[in-house]
Amino acid sequence: MRKSVQELAIAGASPTFPSPLHVGRPNIGNRERLMERINDLLDRRWLSNAGVYVNELEQRLAEILGVKHCIVMCNGTVALEIAIRALGLQGEVIVPSLTFVATAHALQWQQIKPVFCDIDPVSCTIDSSRVEELITPLTTGIIGVHLWGRPCNTDALQEIAERHRLRLMYDAAHALGVTSGGKMIGGFGDVEIFSFHATKFINSFEGGAVTTNNSVLADRIRLMKNFGFSGYDNVVYIGTNGKMPEVSAAMGLTSLESMDEFIAINYRNYLAYKDGVKDIPGISLLPYSDNERTNYQYIVLILDETVARIARDRVIDVLQKENVIARRYFYPGCHRMEPYRSLQPQAGLVLPETEKLVRQTIVLPTGTDISLEAISEITDILRCAITNSDELTYLLTAR
Ligand code: T4K
């Protein structure tokens, strides 16, 4: 049911959607296949520690990504922490502030200072032209983030890393099934890490992976994720517990089998949003490149408040009252979160593009749980709110 601006202003009692439409709603895939796998692992009584599903998932991912080694983990954050440790990073590491806070925390957790770099406003990934000015004698590495499935400038970052003898890794949590220059993400830099959290396009409930073409590094990472054990009773390295359980691998394998279908649905949704917002003043949909493969998992709107004449947060409030649980990912940027806000109070001074973008984004629901009709209703809410922004602001503030 389409609402008038007056109805939007008093919404709450009868929202457009009876139950919440969340960003990050998981894709489930083939339930029967998942249950078969779960029954099988229960029958075999092998629940964790290098089980057959974990091995199969690692092989399958390595094939899809065209990379020599894939080591799956219990989540993406632990994958980041282990990769950082295996690479021997210390001192300072250059990283974008526009990312989920796990990227920065994985460094700080190990007493490494994240040095925040601004983003390129088109790709929304680390601005490679601003990296070199942040390098100091303490710098040991660079972490690029393929944010929202947009690849970093991998050529430029590789060149900088080699010239300054720095380690290069990528947080590819959003970038499964994405290419950069036609090559699948997974094999760039020294290592890349993935997340298979429930909110990700391919999920294993919780899960993550490190991928690399470096066999020495892969061996070290395998040891580290299993307490450093090399065979029974033989610990050769300091390690932790980063293992993925079999039930997660069962979900991951099942999810991967539906990968093409999930991408097709996400693409359909992306086109519907694109069409739905094209005539709304002050709103644009962050485009995906037509030249690369991608997963279309993040629907990111950019709201120009001066043109739309309404605050981004007010639009989010209106959507949420209609049960569209839109998000401000990744507001306010890591540098404005603790402990970075206290440790590096001046960081924002060199992050003008990041500071601008975090005030403009609205991330909307997509995936298999949303219909084209729902997308049409969501874009109608946006159109009504923005084309009547003066009246809506008046009604909301007068209440
Ligand atoms: N690097 C990057 C760039 C990342 O984005 C992430 C994770 C990581 C590293 C770390 O990977 P992991 O260690 O998580 O594997 C969520 C996720 O928890 C997080 O995995 C993800 N990025 C981040 C972008 O989103 P929150 O704090 O926004 O979670 P929450 O609880 O608000 O849920 C997000 C939305 O998903 C809500 O609208 C509800 C919905 N949801 C969530 C779950 C778990 C569901 O509908 N069903 C569910 O089962 O962080």
Side-chain angles (χ1 to χ4, degrees):
M1 191 196 63
R2 307 299 191 246
K3 287 196 166 175
S4 66
V5 64
Q6 290 81 9
E7 286 168 322
L8 280 187
I10 55 160
S14 58
T16 303
F17 298 99
S19 50
L21 286 177
H22 284 279
V23 168
R25 209 79 170 143
N27 295 323
I28 303 299
N30 185 331
R31 268 175 208 242
E32 289 72 36
R33 197 69 195 97
L34 174 63
M35 293 309 167
E36 268 172 38
R37 285 189 164 114
I38 292 177
N39 280 324
D40 173 57
L41 72 90
L42 293 175
D43 289 346
R44 285 188 289 103
R45 291 177 194 269
W46 196 278
L47 308 186
S48 189
N49 294 19
V52 291
Y53 288 141
V54 159
N55 290 337
E56 196 182 330
L57 181 61
E58 290 186 339
Q59 277 168 21
R60 194 70 202 99
L61 284 165
E63 274 163 31
I64 291 171
L65 303 177
V67 69
K68 272 195 198 153
H69 307 280
C70 172
I71 304 116
V72 296
M73 307 251 173
C74 52
N75 60 56
T77 305
V78 166
L80 274 167
E81 288 168 4
I82 291 180
I84 287 166
R85 205 167 175 118
L87 281 175
L89 298 185
Q90 51 185 307
E92 296 178 0
V93 170
I94 298 167
V95 66
S97 172
L98 185 72
T99 179
F100 187 60
V101 73
T103 325
H105 278 355
L107 291 164
Q108 190 73 41
W109 192 254
Q110 308 188 64
Q111 283 78 51
I112 300 165
K113 178 182 176 186
V115 174
F116 296 115
C117 185
D118 210 1
I119 49 150
D120 165 75
V122 176
S123 70
C124 303
T125 64
I126 190 166
D127 183 346
S128 53
S129 71
R130 308 296 303 274
V131 168
E132 280 188 285
E133 65 205 51
L134 300 173
I135 296 174
T136 75
L138 295 177
T139 310
T140 54
I142 304 167
I143 303 181
V145 181
H146 304 300
L147 198 81
W148 299 321
R150 270 84 179 168
C152 295
N153 187 341
T154 47
D155 287 345
L157 291 172
Q158 187 67 39
E159 195 272 319
I160 295 167
E162 280 172 18
R163 194 147 37 81
H164 294 271
R165 296 175 180 222
L166 299 175
R167 293 295 216 168
L168 175 61
M169 63 180 268
Y170 290 101
D171 179 336
H174 303 173
L176 188 77
V178 174
T179 57
S180 173
K183 191 182 149 205
M184 202 58 108
I185 278 171
F188 290 98
D190 294 298
V191 291
E192 303 213 52
I193 79 92
F194 292 86
S195 165
F196 309 122
H197 180 258
T199 53
K200 297 296 182 288
F201 136 78
I202 295 295
N203 86 85
S204 61
F205 303 123
E206 290 269 0
V210 180
T211 56
T212 181
N213 284 312
N214 180 327
S215 302
V216 176
L217 209 49
D219 287 347
R220 194 180 304 153
I221 289 167
R222 275 195 191 287
L223 289 171
M224 281 184 159
K225 77 140 190 199
N226 188 27
F227 315 100
F229 271 110
S230 171
Y232 293 131
D233 312 325
N234 185 30
V235 172
V236 297
Y237 224 92
I238 181 167
T240 184
N241 183 354
K243 289 173 277 117
M244 175 185 274
E246 281 288 272
V247 69
S248 283
M251 181 63 165
L253 281 166
T254 310
S255 205
L256 268 184
E257 283 163 5
S258 297
M259 182 161 163
D260 291 343
E261 181 197 331
F262 296 159
I263 292 178
I265 290 169
N266 278 352
Y267 182 56
R268 176 203 75 175
N269 294 348
Y270 166 71
L271 293 181
Y273 274 118
K274 191 173 166 187
D275 190 51
V277 301
K278 69 175 188 290
D279 58 346
I280 307 179
I283 286 242
S284 57
L285 179 64
L286 198 66
Y288 284 97
S289 163
D290 291 332
N291 303 322
E292 303 285 1
R293 283 175 64 185
T294 188
N295 56 39
Y296 302 98
Q297 174 68 1
Y298 286 89
I299 300 293
V300 185
L301 296 185
I302 309 291
L303 180 89
D304 182 338
E305 292 185 350
T306 52
V307 178
R309 296 169 59 83
I310 188 166
R312 184 271 310 263
D313 290 355
R314 180 150 278 159
V315 176
I316 299 241
D317 283 348
V318 167
L319 287 167
Q320 292 199 348
K321 282 189 197 134
E322 297 304 324
N323 254 339
V324 181
I325 314 302
R327 298 292 295 261
R328 301 187 292 182
Y329 287 145
F330 287 100
Y331 179 84
C334 296
H335 68 290
R336 287 187 180 269
M337 294 179 171
E338 292 296 355
Y340 316 106
R341 186 171 53 190
S342 299
L343 291 172
Q344 305 185 40
Q346 307 293 322
L349 294 176
V350 294
L351 304 171
E353 297 295 345
T354 304
E355 297 243 303
K356 183 175 169 203
L357 195 73
V358 292
R359 294 198 182 91
Q360 296 183 321
T361 55
I362 300 175
V363 177
L364 293 172
T366 187
T368 52
D369 195 43
I370 192 161
S371 66
L372 289 178
E373 293 70 35
I375 292 174
S376 169
E377 299 227 33
I378 293 171
T379 54
D380 280 348
I381 295 169
L382 286 167
R383 185 176 304 99
C384 181
I386 289 168
T387 51
N388 300 289
S389 54
D390 289 345
E391 190 181 351
L392 182 62
T393 306
Y394 170 76
L395 289 168
L396 286 171
T397 44
R399 270 193 303 130

